[in-house]
Amino acid sequence: MATGDFDDRSARRYFPLLIGLEALLLAAWFAPPGHPFEGMKGYLPLVIILEFFPVVVAFMVFGIAWNAHSTEQPVAVTILGCALLAVGLIDLVHMLSFPGMPDFVTPSGEEKAAYFWLTAHLIMAVALFAVAFRGAGPLKSPKSRHGLLVAALAL
């Protein structure tokens, strides 16, 4: 028998899983329609949960790139790490500027949130462009590493 072939015993092993999935499908089919997200404020907890994960990942990548520094490390790692710090900070502000959130300097709104989202993605695109067209060598001076960090925080 070939490796990918099934016999009767292995097919019976998946039978409870198929019954469970069918029961889940029928339960969803016959469930009364619900509207858990009424209006824009109903989406706020979902947005916070979904936006928090990329912020944490961006900060983690920055932390790894910054702390794994050595004199032989390619400059691309430092550029991407600092860019992801800026993107994480801007995404955090983006998350705080959705309608329904308290006012953050100016009143929250869809347009303000969209501007922060576009800014974060523009910074990441510029960083990827810089990495693609920059040499793969290490940084020429240690001060330029700190200059990249200051630039990321200034953004």
Side-chain angles (χ1 to χ4, degrees):
M1 182 179 294
T3 311
D5 293 340
F6 289 107
D7 60 354
D8 286 340
R9 285 180 293 158
S10 63
R12 279 186 237 137
R13 199 173 46 182
Y14 293 105
F15 192 68
L17 175 66
L18 292 174
I19 295 295
L21 289 174
E22 183 64 29
L24 183 65
L25 177 67
L26 288 173
W29 188 298
F30 291 113
H35 303 284
F37 305 114
E38 292 292 332
M40 204 55 177
K41 288 189 180 199
Y43 283 101
L44 196 56
L46 178 66
V47 166
I48 297 299
I49 290 168
L50 293 178
E51 288 285 338
F52 189 69
F53 180 70
V55 170
V56 169
V57 169
F59 288 156
M60 286 172 49
V61 170
F62 165 73
I64 291 170
W66 190 259
N67 289 318
H69 179 69
S70 70
T71 55
E72 299 86 30
Q73 182 182 31
V75 68
V77 175
T78 306
I79 291 173
L80 290 176
C82 289
L84 280 168
L85 173 66
V87 167
L89 290 171
I90 292 173
D91 270 346
L92 190 62
V93 175
H94 160 74
M95 186 172 57
L96 295 173
S97 63
F98 271 94
M101 293 296 281
D103 291 346
F104 182 67
V105 180
T106 60
S108 299
E110 293 95 359
E111 189 173 338
K112 181 179 174 184
Y115 285 148
F116 282 124
W117 187 85
L118 288 171
T119 303
H121 286 78
L122 176 67
I123 290 170
M124 198 64 226
V126 168
L128 289 172
F129 185 78
V131 165
F133 289 101
R134 167 87 172 60
L139 286 170
K140 291 188 176 41
S141 82
K143 290 183 180 180
S144 58
R145 178 175 179 249
H146 294 287
L148 284 171
L149 178 63
V150 169
L153 292 173
L155 280 173

